[in-house]
Amino acid sequence: MIQNPSFDLPPASFRSLLLFVLTLGNYALMYLANIVLARSLTVSDFDDYSVALSVVTMLSTLATLGLEKYALRAIALFRERQDWRKFRGFWLFSLKTISGFSLLLFGLLSISLKTIWAIQNIENHFAIILFAGFLPIIAITLFLVEVISAQGAHVLGITIYRLFLPSVYLLLIVGCSFGKFQLSASVAVLCLGLAWMLTLILIWQAAKWITTSEVRQSMPLITGKKWLSRSLPLVFNSLMLTVMTSSGVVILELLFPSGLDVGIYAVAAQTGGFISLIGTSTNRYYLPKMVVLVERRDKSAIQHLINQRSLMIGGLILALFLTIALFGQHLLALFGSHFSGGYLTLVIIAVGASISALYADMPYYLQYLGFNRIVLSSTLLAMLTMVTLAFLLGKSYGTLGVAIAYTIPVVLLFISFRFMVVLHFKRF
């Protein structure tokens, strides 16, 4: 097997820290945007906006069919083996497949929601359908971010995704709030959709720029069924995790339509859930390297990589959790005085987000080794437990009940993944 000597295996802690800094910038910008919206929109409009975001977030995870997660593995291996034909084939196949499936999901969602609203004779929540119209753009952008990361340009991809996107969005909604357009849920999601569109244009150019001439000039070799068979377990796992983190808003909307609980939980989930972004952002740096080490069956290097990641982000997670625990009430009050009542909900969510961030690489490592069935079955059990508990506890305890329903399964799931990896190393 030909190895690519330019593939840098030893992870640089500075790059990992920089990815976190970029994530922190993204958090600050989106936090400001949501503060503007929470203070400008009515309770009903902010609920509609929050539900639209949650629904499209779950759909965007499904729309990529796991090809963006698989890109971190596939492209890293194509570069390692210098298989440029498969590289280009994977690129073209993924773009066509994601675009087509995204349009299908948008059509199904639109028809389903309009039918439900007509049958139940309830008010249309147009913001959901409007934002879902940008689903193909969002899904392709998410795929290209991972393509760039898999080629070693982590900082470039994350800078565009984490800083350019929220910056444009913040400018658009601030411009609307001071301009002639009155902010509403529909205007807010339209601004976010336009920000995604501009981000796609920029990241498309970046992806073309960093892709080598060997890839561009090669004849594509497409093995679509093989790639989908390996990506679908990744998308199912990601989708179930997304449902666990994002469905709380939708469940509360079903339990308390247009109630204040929806907005409070959405704000608390955004604040506490930021910790989990540390896991996803650093995964873009560590997972392609882990793939190559698994390919080479280098046990000591894999253990070093896992331990280094845990030590690197463990301190950051602890610092952020303490910040939320000490100043969470003040952070929530930035959205409005009535949001500060979600402090305990925020802390409980932050506990679950901390554990999931610390061990965010574990399920992917297990799947790369072929343990798809046990990862998927464990995640499915956790998701079903979360949704069931959310309806039961949410009805009686509101946002606090849904937060507990999220945290307990998440903590048990990711700790169990860590134990599975430890057992694997003992038998490796």
Side-chain angles (χ1 to χ4, degrees):
M1 178 180 62
I2 298 174
Q3 292 183 349
N4 182 2
S6 66
F7 196 98
D8 178 27
L9 279 175
S13 297
F14 174 75
R15 286 189 181 181
S16 183
L17 180 60
L18 184 56
L19 292 179
F20 167 71
V21 171
L22 292 172
T23 303
L24 185 62
N26 170 268
Y27 169 77
L29 291 168
M30 290 302 292
Y31 211 70
L32 285 173
N34 278 322
I35 288 173
V36 172
L37 292 174
R39 289 183 170 273
S40 302
L41 300 177
T42 63
V43 171
S44 178
D45 267 353
F46 189 71
D47 286 355
D48 283 355
Y49 166 78
S50 301
V51 172
L53 250 63
S54 297
V55 170
V56 175
T57 296
M58 289 186 281
L59 285 179
S60 64
T61 303
L62 179 60
T64 61
L65 290 170
L67 289 168
E68 94 287 9
K69 292 290 186 295
Y70 186 64
L72 289 171
R73 177 183 183 182
I75 291 180
L77 288 180
F78 295 153
R79 284 170 57 87
E80 171 76 1
R81 299 168 180 172
Q82 298 185 9
D83 193 342
W84 309 125
R85 293 186 63 199
K86 282 189 178 179
F87 190 126
R88 186 156 187 249
F90 180 77
W91 163 280
L92 295 176
F93 171 78
S94 298
L95 291 178
K96 292 178 182 178
T97 304
I98 292 172
S99 299
F101 192 58
S102 298
L103 290 172
L104 176 63
L105 285 177
F106 169 64
L108 292 175
L109 176 70
S110 301
I111 294 171
S112 301
L113 288 180
K114 288 181 179 179
T115 302
I116 292 172
W117 293 335
I119 293 175
Q120 296 186 353
N121 194 26
I122 59 177
E123 180 184 357
N124 290 352
H125 300 274
F126 181 67
I128 301 175
I129 295 179
L130 179 60
F131 191 38
F134 292 95
L135 186 60
I137 293 172
I138 296 172
I140 291 296
T141 304
L142 293 174
F143 170 73
L144 292 179
V145 170
E146 308 298 8
V147 168
I148 291 175
S149 296
Q151 297 184 74
H154 318 84
V155 175
L156 175 62
I158 299 302
T159 299
I160 297 173
Y161 176 44
R162 294 295 189 193
L163 291 186
F164 179 79
L165 171 63
S167 297
V168 172
Y169 177 46
L170 181 60
L171 288 174
L172 287 173
I173 62 170
V174 169
C176 288
S177 63
F178 287 102
K180 297 180 181 179
F181 296 99
Q182 184 177 358
L183 272 179
S184 64
S186 296
V187 171
V189 297
L190 181 61
C191 289
L192 184 53
L194 291 174
W196 274 103
M197 187 181 300
L198 294 173
T199 303
L200 174 59
I201 294 172
L202 183 59
I203 209 162
W204 179 273
Q205 295 301 319
K208 289 176 63 177
W209 175 64
I210 68 166
T211 303
T212 62
S213 58
E214 292 92 342
V215 176
R216 294 193 297 269
Q217 295 170 5
S218 62
M219 291 293 294
L221 178 60
I222 298 176
T223 56
K225 290 183 179 180
K226 177 182 178 181
W227 292 331
L228 281 177
S229 67
R230 294 181 176 179
S231 70
L232 288 177
L234 298 176
V235 73
F236 291 145
N237 186 65
S238 294
L239 178 62
M240 289 185 287
L241 292 175
T242 303
V243 169
M244 293 175 71
T245 55
S246 301
S247 64
V249 172
V250 179
I251 292 171
L252 283 169
E253 175 67 21
L254 294 174
L255 293 174
F256 310 104
S258 300
L260 186 59
D261 283 354
V262 178
I264 290 176
Y265 187 86
V267 169
Q270 183 199 11
T271 306
F274 164 69
I275 299 176
S276 63
L277 292 180
I278 300 173
T280 57
S281 63
T282 53
N283 273 354
R284 291 186 175 93
Y285 179 74
Y286 284 99
L287 290 184
K289 298 178 181 299
M290 185 183 291
V291 167
V292 176
L293 294 175
V294 171
E295 174 80 359
R296 297 177 183 177
R297 300 186 65 81
D298 191 337
K299 177 182 176 181
S300 61
I302 293 172
Q303 286 181 310
H304 175 71
L305 187 68
I306 291 175
N307 292 336
Q308 185 187 54
R309 180 191 178 277
S310 298
L311 290 173
M312 181 65 199
I313 71 170
L316 296 173
I317 291 171
L318 180 60
L320 285 172
F321 178 78
L322 291 176
T323 301
I324 287 174
L326 294 173
F327 305 105
Q329 202 156 14
H330 300 289
L331 291 172
L332 294 177
L334 295 174
F335 292 83
S337 57
H338 50 283
F339 286 99
S340 59
Y343 169 73
L344 190 53
T345 299
L346 166 62
V347 174
I348 293 173
I349 291 174
V351 172
S354 298
I355 299 299
S356 67
L358 184 61
Y359 300 132
D361 57 331
M362 294 294 101
Y364 295 106
Y365 175 73
L366 290 168
Q367 287 182 300
Y368 290 161
L369 291 172
F371 298 107
N372 289 314
R373 184 172 298 178
I374 191 169
V375 171
L376 291 176
S377 59
S378 300
T379 308
L380 176 62
L381 178 61
M383 184 198 72
L384 293 176
T385 301
M386 180 269 163
V387 173
T388 303
L389 286 177
F391 276 107
L392 294 176
L393 298 178
K395 189 173 183 180
S396 301
Y397 303 102
T399 61
L400 189 61
V402 176
I404 294 172
Y406 158 75
T407 297
I408 292 176
V410 164
V411 169
L412 293 176
L413 177 67
F414 279 91
I415 289 178
S416 68
F417 283 153
R418 178 56 178 164
F419 279 127
M420 290 178 198
V421 171
V422 171
L423 289 175
H424 170 73
F425 273 124
K426 289 182 178 179
R427 300 171 182 173
F428 190 38

